[in-house]
Amino acid sequence: MNEDIRRRLREAAEAHEPNRARILARVERGVAGPTVRHRTPSIARSWHQAAIVGLVAAATLATGGLAVAAIGGTPSLPAAVPTSSVPSPIVTSTPTPSPRTTRTPTPTATRPAPTTTPRSSRPTPPAVSQLQNGPLWSQGSIDAHSTIYWAQNNLILETTKPLTALTVELRIAQTGDVRQTGNWQTLPSEDFTVTVQESGGALLYRWVLMPGRTVPAGRHEFAAQYNHATGIRKPKRDTYHAYAQSSAGPSTVWGGFTSPR
């Protein structure tokens, strides 16, 4: 081919402008067919039409390109035709609800009711006082002449039978500065052994009938004298005991001391 033919082909290719609108209209009419449907085309049909339009556009571009290539020149590419992007369909999967697992409540173990064990019977505490036993009778009191510095505890002991053995104890609680100052009894002093000593937080006065001596039936008295802290002393913790032996057998009496009225 000579230069004149090359020049004419190049000018014809550059002057050629395909009517794109007419081509697209023909394609759409061919796709639509004779029957017009009044419903929205499905996504698959839209994709099909878009593919055909793309092919036609590509064929048009190829025609121009081939013409230019035939004359050995570099073809000028036509402006790109904007194509609407069709979004891919979003498939929403509905989760299948998992079956609920019904838990059977575990039965709670029932604890047996605590067994109430009856308390063992406690021994009955000894009586606060035993003023009379067998042939003996007793009474303890605070002497009416006691003062806020000094006091005397008296024990009256009566017996209906002669006593062949006798021990008398007067216990004066240590309530503060309690110190013995003397003692006495109405029975002969030579018939008894008398002692006074500290014992268990108290002053203990003890009379013991000497062997071979006898206490006659009747009323007898024993007294314990002592100093104490200044004030009115309360004798609620003072006690006495008397142990005797007679023809009726052993006898024991005990008790406390009452304050004078």
Side-chain angles (χ1 to χ4, degrees), residues 71-99:
I71 59 177
T74 303
S76 59
L77 298 176
V81 178
T83 58
S84 59
S85 60
V86 179
S88 59
I90 300 174
V91 180
T92 304
S93 61
T94 304
T96 304
S98 58

mmCIF file of all heavy atoms in Angstrom, residues 71-99:
data_model
loop_
_atom_site.group_PDB
_atom_site.id
_atom_site.type_symbol
_atom_site.label_atom_id
_atom_site.label_comp_id
_atom_site.label_asym_id
_atom_site.label_seq_id
_atom_site.Cartn_x
_atom_site.Cartn_y
_atom_site.Cartn_z
ATOM 1 N N ILE A 71 -4.033 0.559 9.248
ATOM 2 C CA ILE A 71 -3.206 1.574 8.605
ATOM 3 C C ILE A 71 -1.945 1.808 9.375
ATOM 4 O O ILE A 71 -1.204 2.754 9.106
ATOM 5 C CB ILE A 71 -3.991 2.876 8.438
ATOM 6 C CG1 ILE A 71 -4.462 3.405 9.794
ATOM 7 C CG2 ILE A 71 -5.196 2.660 7.527
ATOM 8 C CD1 ILE A 71 -5.186 4.734 9.712
ATOM 9 N N GLY A 72 -1.697 1.024 10.456
ATOM 10 C CA GLY A 72 -0.450 1.072 11.214
ATOM 11 C C GLY A 72 -0.358 2.221 12.164
ATOM 12 O O GLY A 72 0.729 2.546 12.635
ATOM 13 N N GLY A 73 -1.422 2.925 12.439
ATOM 14 C CA GLY A 73 -1.379 4.035 13.406
ATOM 15 C C GLY A 73 -1.862 3.629 14.765
ATOM 16 O O GLY A 73 -2.406 2.552 14.973
ATOM 17 N N THR A 74 -1.726 4.514 15.688
ATOM 18 C CA THR A 74 -2.189 4.270 17.063
ATOM 19 C C THR A 74 -3.568 4.822 17.213
ATOM 20 O O THR A 74 -3.770 6.043 17.065
ATOM 21 C CB THR A 74 -1.265 4.944 18.088
ATOM 22 O OG1 THR A 74 0.038 4.449 17.883
ATOM 23 C CG2 THR A 74 -1.733 4.659 19.492
ATOM 24 N N PRO A 75 -4.569 4.004 17.462
ATOM 25 C CA PRO A 75 -5.949 4.495 17.526
ATOM 26 C C PRO A 75 -6.184 5.300 18.787
ATOM 27 O O PRO A 75 -5.600 5.041 19.831
ATOM 28 C CB PRO A 75 -6.771 3.213 17.532
ATOM 29 C CG PRO A 75 -5.917 2.199 18.157
ATOM 30 C CD PRO A 75 -4.516 2.550 17.719
ATOM 31 N N SER A 76 -7.035 6.292 18.611
ATOM 32 C CA SER A 76 -7.445 7.058 19.817
ATOM 33 C C SER A 76 -8.662 6.386 20.402
ATOM 34 O O SER A 76 -9.652 6.195 19.721
ATOM 35 C CB SER A 76 -7.760 8.505 19.423
ATOM 36 O OG SER A 76 -8.788 8.527 18.459
ATOM 37 N N LEU A 77 -8.575 6.047 21.688
ATOM 38 C CA LEU A 77 -9.645 5.315 22.360
ATOM 39 C C LEU A 77 -10.798 6.234 22.647
ATOM 40 O O LEU A 77 -10.597 7.372 23.111
ATOM 41 C CB LEU A 77 -9.144 4.695 23.667
ATOM 42 C CG LEU A 77 -8.029 3.655 23.518
ATOM 43 C CD1 LEU A 77 -7.571 3.202 24.885
ATOM 44 C CD2 LEU A 77 -8.526 2.476 22.685
ATOM 45 N N PRO A 78 -12.000 5.780 22.344
ATOM 46 C CA PRO A 78 -13.166 6.611 22.659
ATOM 47 C C PRO A 78 -13.383 6.685 24.151
ATOM 48 O O PRO A 78 -12.891 5.881 24.915
ATOM 49 C CB PRO A 78 -14.308 5.865 21.970
ATOM 50 C CG PRO A 78 -13.876 4.456 21.948
ATOM 51 C CD PRO A 78 -12.386 4.490 21.744
ATOM 52 N N ALA A 79 -14.111 7.741 24.512
ATOM 53 C CA ALA A 79 -14.405 7.915 25.962
ATOM 54 C C ALA A 79 -15.191 6.726 26.469
ATOM 55 O O ALA A 79 -16.082 6.215 25.801
ATOM 56 C CB ALA A 79 -15.206 9.210 26.156
ATOM 57 N N ALA A 80 -14.845 6.325 27.675
ATOM 58 C CA ALA A 80 -15.496 5.149 28.266
ATOM 59 C C ALA A 80 -16.937 5.447 28.562
ATOM 60 O O ALA A 80 -17.275 6.515 29.082
ATOM 61 C CB ALA A 80 -14.775 4.741 29.539
ATOM 62 N N VAL A 81 -17.776 4.485 28.212
ATOM 63 C CA VAL A 81 -19.211 4.640 28.474
ATOM 64 C C VAL A 81 -19.479 4.221 29.904
ATOM 65 O O VAL A 81 -19.162 3.095 30.295
ATOM 66 C CB VAL A 81 -20.026 3.764 27.501
ATOM 67 C CG1 VAL A 81 -21.523 3.893 27.805
ATOM 68 C CG2 VAL A 81 -19.732 4.159 26.074
ATOM 69 N N PRO A 82 -20.021 5.141 30.698
ATOM 70 C CA PRO A 82 -20.276 4.763 32.110
ATOM 71 C C PRO A 82 -21.327 3.679 32.177
ATOM 72 O O PRO A 82 -22.366 3.753 31.523
ATOM 73 C CB PRO A 82 -20.770 6.064 32.739
ATOM 74 C CG PRO A 82 -21.297 6.872 31.603
ATOM 75 C CD PRO A 82 -20.467 6.524 30.403
ATOM 76 N N THR A 83 -21.032 2.714 32.886
ATOM 77 C CA THR A 83 -21.986 1.602 33.091
ATOM 78 C C THR A 83 -22.406 1.598 34.543
ATOM 79 O O THR A 83 -21.592 1.813 35.447
ATOM 80 C CB THR A 83 -21.343 0.256 32.736
ATOM 81 O OG1 THR A 83 -20.200 0.070 33.526
ATOM 82 C CG2 THR A 83 -20.945 0.229 31.254
ATOM 83 N N SER A 84 -23.669 1.380 34.760
ATOM 84 C CA SER A 84 -24.196 1.327 36.143
ATOM 85 C C SER A 84 -23.832 -0.018 36.754
ATOM 86 O O SER A 84 -24.042 -1.053 36.155
ATOM 87 C CB SER A 84 -25.724 1.507 36.128
ATOM 88 O OG SER A 84 -26.318 0.495 35.360
ATOM 89 N N SER A 85 -23.262 0.095 37.911
ATOM 90 C CA SER A 85 -22.867 -1.142 38.613
ATOM 91 C C SER A 85 -24.078 -1.726 39.301
ATOM 92 O O SER A 85 -24.791 -1.039 40.027
ATOM 93 C CB SER A 85 -21.770 -0.841 39.649
ATOM 94 O OG SER A 85 -22.244 0.079 40.585
ATOM 95 N N VAL A 86 -24.294 -2.970 38.991
ATOM 96 C CA VAL A 86 -25.439 -3.661 39.605
ATOM 97 C C VAL A 86 -24.965 -4.349 40.866
ATOM 98 O O VAL A 86 -24.078 -5.201 40.815
ATOM 99 C CB VAL A 86 -26.041 -4.697 38.636
ATOM 100 C CG1 VAL A 86 -27.214 -5.415 39.282
ATOM 101 C CG2 VAL A 86 -26.443 -4.007 37.343
ATOM 102 N N PRO A 87 -25.500 -3.952 42.015
ATOM 103 C CA PRO A 87 -25.033 -4.585 43.271
ATOM 104 C C PRO A 87 -25.407 -6.040 43.299
ATOM 105 O O PRO A 87 -26.449 -6.444 42.816
ATOM 106 C CB PRO A 87 -25.757 -3.784 44.356
ATOM 107 C CG PRO A 87 -26.980 -3.248 43.690
ATOM 108 C CD PRO A 87 -26.596 -2.996 42.260
ATOM 109 N N SER A 88 -24.487 -6.781 43.832
ATOM 110 C CA SER A 88 -24.751 -8.216 43.986
ATOM 111 C C SER A 88 -25.818 -8.401 45.048
ATOM 112 O O SER A 88 -25.851 -7.696 46.052
ATOM 113 C CB SER A 88 -23.478 -8.950 44.399
ATOM 114 O OG SER A 88 -22.990 -8.432 45.589
ATOM 115 N N PRO A 89 -26.700 -9.321 44.827
ATOM 116 C CA PRO A 89 -27.796 -9.524 45.808
ATOM 117 C C PRO A 89 -27.252 -9.993 47.146
ATOM 118 O O PRO A 89 -26.330 -10.792 47.223
ATOM 119 C CB PRO A 89 -28.663 -10.607 45.144
ATOM 120 C CG PRO A 89 -27.719 -11.325 44.231
ATOM 121 C CD PRO A 89 -26.764 -10.287 43.725
ATOM 122 N N ILE A 90 -27.836 -9.408 48.180
ATOM 123 C CA ILE A 90 -27.429 -9.762 49.549
ATOM 124 C C ILE A 90 -28.360 -10.851 50.044
ATOM 125 O O ILE A 90 -29.581 -10.677 50.066
ATOM 126 C CB ILE A 90 -27.500 -8.542 50.481
ATOM 127 C CG1 ILE A 90 -26.560 -7.444 49.950
ATOM 128 C CG2 ILE A 90 -27.157 -8.928 51.890
ATOM 129 C CD1 ILE A 90 -26.662 -6.155 50.727
ATOM 130 N N VAL A 91 -27.768 -11.959 50.303
ATOM 131 C CA VAL A 91 -28.553 -13.099 50.782
ATOM 132 C C VAL A 91 -28.528 -13.084 52.300
ATOM 133 O O VAL A 91 -27.456 -13.178 52.904
ATOM 134 C CB VAL A 91 -27.989 -14.434 50.251
ATOM 135 C CG1 VAL A 91 -28.820 -15.599 50.769
ATOM 136 C CG2 VAL A 91 -27.968 -14.406 48.734
ATOM 137 N N THR A 92 -29.661 -12.882 52.866
ATOM 138 C CA THR A 92 -29.772 -12.872 54.335
ATOM 139 C C THR A 92 -30.255 -14.229 54.776
ATOM 140 O O THR A 92 -31.352 -14.654 54.405
ATOM 141 C CB THR A 92 -30.755 -11.790 54.803
ATOM 142 O OG1 THR A 92 -30.317 -10.542 54.284
ATOM 143 C CG2 THR A 92 -30.803 -11.734 56.316
ATOM 144 N N SER A 93 -29.398 -14.881 55.519
ATOM 145 C CA SER A 93 -29.774 -16.213 56.015
ATOM 146 C C SER A 93 -30.464 -16.080 57.351
ATOM 147 O O SER A 93 -29.968 -15.412 58.254
ATOM 148 C CB SER A 93 -28.528 -17.099 56.162
ATOM 149 O OG SER A 93 -27.641 -16.529 57.079
ATOM 150 N N THR A 94 -31.620 -16.650 57.454
ATOM 151 C CA THR A 94 -32.367 -16.626 58.717
ATOM 152 C C THR A 94 -31.865 -17.752 59.604
ATOM 153 O O THR A 94 -31.956 -18.925 59.234
ATOM 154 C CB THR A 94 -33.863 -16.814 58.469
ATOM 155 O OG1 THR A 94 -34.294 -15.810 57.554
ATOM 156 C CG2 THR A 94 -34.649 -16.730 59.770
ATOM 157 N N PRO A 95 -31.276 -17.379 60.738
ATOM 158 C CA PRO A 95 -30.736 -18.451 61.602
ATOM 159 C C PRO A 95 -31.836 -19.332 62.131
ATOM 160 O O PRO A 95 -32.896 -18.858 62.530
ATOM 161 C CB PRO A 95 -30.059 -17.676 62.740
ATOM 162 C CG PRO A 95 -30.750 -16.351 62.762
ATOM 163 C CD PRO A 95 -31.123 -16.040 61.345
ATOM 164 N N THR A 96 -31.559 -20.584 62.038
ATOM 165 C CA THR A 96 -32.526 -21.556 62.573
ATOM 166 C C THR A 96 -32.372 -21.625 64.082
ATOM 167 O O THR A 96 -31.280 -21.891 64.585
ATOM 168 C CB THR A 96 -32.267 -22.949 61.972
ATOM 169 O OG1 THR A 96 -32.313 -22.826 60.563
ATOM 170 C CG2 THR A 96 -33.300 -23.954 62.471
ATOM 171 N N PRO A 97 -33.427 -21.301 64.785
ATOM 172 C CA PRO A 97 -33.291 -21.326 66.260
ATOM 173 C C PRO A 97 -32.988 -22.728 66.737
ATOM 174 O O PRO A 97 -33.596 -23.698 66.320
ATOM 175 C CB PRO A 97 -34.674 -20.839 66.750
ATOM 176 C CG PRO A 97 -35.604 -21.156 65.621
ATOM 177 C CD PRO A 97 -34.796 -21.009 64.351
ATOM 178 N N SER A 98 -31.970 -22.751 67.588
ATOM 179 C CA SER A 98 -31.610 -24.051 68.169
ATOM 180 C C SER A 98 -32.633 -24.435 69.212
ATOM 181 O O SER A 98 -33.134 -23.594 69.944
ATOM 182 C CB SER A 98 -30.222 -23.966 68.816
ATOM 183 O OG SER A 98 -30.210 -22.977 69.804
ATOM 184 N N PRO A 99 -32.946 -25.695 69.260
ATOM 185 C CA PRO A 99 -33.956 -26.115 70.254
ATOM 186 C C PRO A 99 -33.451 -25.880 71.666
ATOM 187 O O PRO A 99 -32.295 -26.081 71.993
ATOM 188 C CB PRO A 99 -34.120 -27.624 69.964
ATOM 189 C CG PRO A 99 -32.838 -28.011 69.301
ATOM 190 C CD PRO A 99 -32.401 -26.805 68.502
#
